[in-house]
Amino acid sequence: MKCWAAFARLGGSRMNMMTRVGSHGELRRQSRVIRALGSDFVASVLEAGDRQLHRAPHTAALIDGWPDDPSSAALAMRFNAALHALARGGNVADLSALYQREHDEFDRAIGGALAAHDDFIIRWMQEPTQTNEVARAAGFAAALMALRVRTGMPVELLEIGSSCGLNLNLARYRYDLDGVIAGDPASPVRIAPEWRGMTPVAAPIEVVAARGVDLNPLDAADRRARARLLAFVWADQPRRIERLKTALRIARAHPPELTRADATLWLPEQVAAPQSEGVCRVVFHSMVIQYLGRAARSAVIDAIHAAGARATDARPFAWLSFEWTEGREKVELALTCWPDGARRVLATCHPYGEWFDWHG
């Protein structure tokens, strides 16, 4: 996806009615959100970017003229990731030194990078976000264990907005969920989020098939794709960076099955395909709905409900959603199961899976 038109097709058209937030307002607003989430370094990057943005006129114009809601488009995260990519590339010495904590002259380093690399930053920001956060898989793993207790069946996974497909490999990771060990005990990817609330039920995580779709899927074997994913991880969270690197190594050894397509076309075909008896088919997604326009969102939900209407006890169907609530007050992990169609919010979650408040 390399242009405004392509983003507009993906981006939330429901946001067109909203008042645009100016460049400075959006970076400043997101810096407060990020500082509250505990990432002081990234908050300081955005604050300095807010003060120095005039030195990158093309980037400033892009942000100021963004056609949809900048929060839903994760505009500040695109900006931050562009700077992180420059720093990781090592060609902007003062910026790299800032990211390596060799100095704390945020305005000097970021202002210089903006002035010298305006065109790089604007190109980066026109591409969609790529945050294939594997820590979110802890919530999916706990939900799949609950689903196993409910159905007694293994699962077939269908993911929309898969990015690099790292969460399609969720059965290849090891989880410690409030002392409940799940997944592959020998996996080098160790996911142990802070767990609040109830302890999840222990059950096997058995995945018989896993497929995903994305408008712009990333290949874990592609060096540039790996670099893009790593740039979107916050620079002051080294554990996340190392966990992502390890998950990418697993994906190179066990490539996820990904299709480059529009989810509104791919998903109806997938859920209409014959389903094996004794297997629960599961559609899941994380932080995808906010990027879908109203028509695309309706098409996806309609396909899911149509599949649910066809479900039977021998061929159950489930929908797992890790998304912001409508008003963006919190992130919820929700599970809907058919044939009865019961929906339950399983947990309130940290956006990147750092903690889960499990309701059970």
Side-chain angles (χ1 to χ4, degrees):
M1 187 171 300
K2 299 181 179 179
C3 63
W4 277 98
F7 172 75
R9 187 163 72 91
L10 181 64
S13 62
R14 73 182 179 88
M15 302 299 179
N16 288 338
M17 67 188 73
M18 300 181 69
T19 303
R20 291 177 184 168
V21 179
S23 58
H24 291 59
E26 180 60 13
L27 296 182
R28 202 163 47 235
R29 191 188 72 79
Q30 287 294 345
S31 73
R32 293 192 291 269
V33 172
I34 289 166
R35 198 175 294 281
L37 289 173
S39 184
D40 289 340
F41 180 85
V42 174
S44 295
V45 166
L46 293 181
E47 289 163 356
D50 169 63
R51 293 187 293 267
Q52 298 294 324
L53 193 59
H54 64 277
R55 301 184 65 181
H58 295 151
T59 300
L62 173 73
I63 298 175
D64 276 329
W66 199 258
D68 294 305
D69 176 54
S71 296
S72 292
L75 213 56
M77 294 300 91
R78 298 180 192 218
F79 178 83
N80 172 67
L83 290 171
H84 193 190
L86 282 171
R88 290 179 62 85
N91 297 321
V92 187
D94 200 29
L95 187 68
S96 295
L98 174 70
Y99 275 73
Q100 291 164 12
R101 312 302 194 277
E102 295 174 6
H103 68 78
D104 60 359
E105 297 292 336
F106 283 86
D107 282 80
R108 185 190 72 203
I110 290 170
L114 289 170
H117 297 280
D118 193 5
D119 288 343
F120 173 89
I121 295 168
I122 193 173
R123 287 196 304 271
W124 184 281
M125 291 185 65
Q126 285 175 337
E127 298 286 337
T129 57
Q130 294 286 359
T131 51
N132 205 169
E133 179 52 66
V134 293
R136 294 171 184 157
F140 292 136
L144 292 178
M145 290 194 295
L147 194 58
R148 179 63 178 251
V149 170
R150 178 187 175 101
T151 67
M153 300 177 186
V155 295
E156 170 198 358
L157 299 179
L158 301 173
E159 184 184 25
I160 61 172
S162 296
S163 186
C164 200
L166 301 183
N167 284 333
L168 290 170
N169 275 338
L170 60 84
R172 301 184 185 277
Y173 307 149
R174 181 188 188 274
Y175 306 93
D176 183 343
L177 310 176
D178 198 30
V180 174
I181 306 303
D184 179 358
S187 176
V189 174
R190 305 284 176 107
I191 305 176
E194 178 187 344
W195 205 263
R196 307 169 185 173
M198 300 173 64
T199 300
V201 63
I205 300 173
E206 185 180 357
V207 178
V208 298
R211 302 183 297 280
V213 66
D214 200 282
L215 281 174
N216 182 36
L218 299 184
D219 182 357
D222 185 312
R223 179 186 59 81
R224 293 179 62 185
R226 296 196 302 272
R228 185 166 183 82
L229 278 175
L230 288 164
F232 271 99
V233 179
W234 293 353
D236 54 356
Q237 297 183 341
R239 283 200 314 161
R240 282 181 66 200
I241 292 173
E242 290 306 311
R243 186 170 54 218
L244 176 57
K245 288 180 178 178
T246 307
L248 285 166
R249 286 196 291 272
I250 289 179
R252 290 164 73 181
H254 304 280
E257 185 178 334
L258 293 173
T259 298
R260 182 186 298 273
D262 188 323
T264 63
L265 302 176
W266 180 86
L267 186 60
E269 293 179 354
Q270 296 295 313
V271 296
Q275 178 177 345
S276 298
E277 184 174 345
V279 174
C280 181
R281 178 172 282 170
V282 181
V283 170
F284 75 109
H285 51 85
S286 56
M287 299 303 187
V288 169
I289 294 298
Q290 70 189 62
Y291 299 113
L292 296 179
R294 182 175 296 167
R297 187 181 313 179
S298 295
V300 165
I301 294 174
D302 287 348
I304 289 171
H305 282 276
R310 296 190 294 267
T312 65
D313 289 336
R315 293 178 174 85
F317 181 78
W319 175 19
L320 262 176
S321 170
F322 184 111
E323 300 284 350
W324 285 101
T325 55
E326 184 70 22
R328 295 182 68 84
E329 299 94 354
K330 56 187 175 180
V331 176
E332 291 182 339
L333 177 70
L335 173 65
T336 307
C337 300
W338 284 272
D340 62 8
R343 182 182 186 274
R344 185 161 197 166
V345 176
L346 298 179
T348 305
C349 323
H350 183 277
Y352 294 114
E354 292 296 314
W355 56 260
F356 291 84
D357 186 355
W358 191 254
H359 312 320

